[in-house]
Amino acid sequence: MADFTREALYELVWTDPVRTVAARFGMSDVAFRKHCVRAAVPLPERGYWAKVAAGRKVPKIALPPRAPCASNVIQIGSEPYNWRYDPEAELAKPVPSPPQFQEPIEAVKARVAARVRKVPFIRELAEPLEDIRKLLDEDAKRAERQRTDRWAMSWDKPCSTPASRSDA
């Protein structure tokens, strides 16, 4: 198992083809790509290495900022599970130094606020939001299945009752 920061993984995939890097870790390129996608590390597009070999200058895709609550450490491979966890030994370890952040918290807050849209306040469900409308429609289908199916299952019960909904 190997631990990488996002920046180190980014440099790794942009210095050698993914297939070559994955072989170093004894895994398939598809498995290695999944680690990169989960960590939001951009990969070279198809044909990138052929263009580089031909001497063409191909731009690298920039590493995007880390998503809020996402880890900066990526573990590649699996660590064998240790059944002998010793809390005393864990507590005896020295206290780690405080983390150093590359981006000020105000910039992170602004980035998150830009991604979150304002949700309108709706008092009644005569015209619900699209996502709520989909849930209500699915619930209506469940209720119909419960009413008409001879072998209706308990997991197919509607999540809300018509009495609790304003559109019924």
Side-chain angles (χ1 to χ4, degrees), residues 64-104:
R66 184 169 47 100
C69 300
S71 177
N72 196 39
V73 178
I74 296 98
Q75 293 182 339
I76 297 179
S78 61
E79 183 176 350
Y81 187 75
N82 185 358
W83 288 94
R84 296 186 179 163
Y85 175 70
D86 185 8
E88 297 289 329
E90 195 70 28
L91 290 172
K93 290 181 180 177
V95 177
S97 59
Q100 300 294 318
F101 299 104
Q102 297 173 348
E103 192 175 12

Side-chain angles (χ1 to χ4, degrees), residues 134-145 158 165:
K134 288 178 185 176
L135 291 173
L136 292 173
D137 290 345
E138 180 62 33
D139 224 26
K141 290 177 188 174
R142 287 172 175 254
E144 182 62 24
R145 267 192 301 239
R165 296 192 337 218

Side-chain angles (χ1 to χ4, degrees), residues 102-122:
Q102 297 173 348
E103 192 175 12
I105 191 67
E106 292 78 23
V108 174
K109 284 181 182 179
R111 202 163 28 94
V112 171
R115 289 177 65 181
V116 177
R117 64 179 174 94
K118 188 173 181 180
V119 178
F121 178 75
I122 300 174

Side-chain angles (χ1 to χ4, degrees), residues 3 7 77 118 150:
D3 291 348
E7 293 80 12
K118 188 173 181 180
R150 182 175 172 188

Side-chain angles (χ1 to χ4, degrees), residues 31-86:
F32 190 79
R33 281 179 191 277
K34 287 181 182 180
H35 283 290
C36 294
V37 168
R38 257 186 248 121
V41 173
L43 296 165
E45 63 184 21
R46 193 172 198 167
Y48 174 85
W49 295 107
K51 291 175 186 175
V52 169
R56 290 182 55 197
K57 187 170 172 80
V58 186
K60 287 179 16 175
I61 300 171
L63 180 65
R66 184 169 47 100
C69 300
S71 177
N72 196 39
V73 178
I74 296 98
Q75 293 182 339
I76 297 179
S78 61
E79 183 176 350
Y81 187 75
N82 185 358
W83 288 94
R84 296 186 179 163
Y85 175 70
D86 185 8

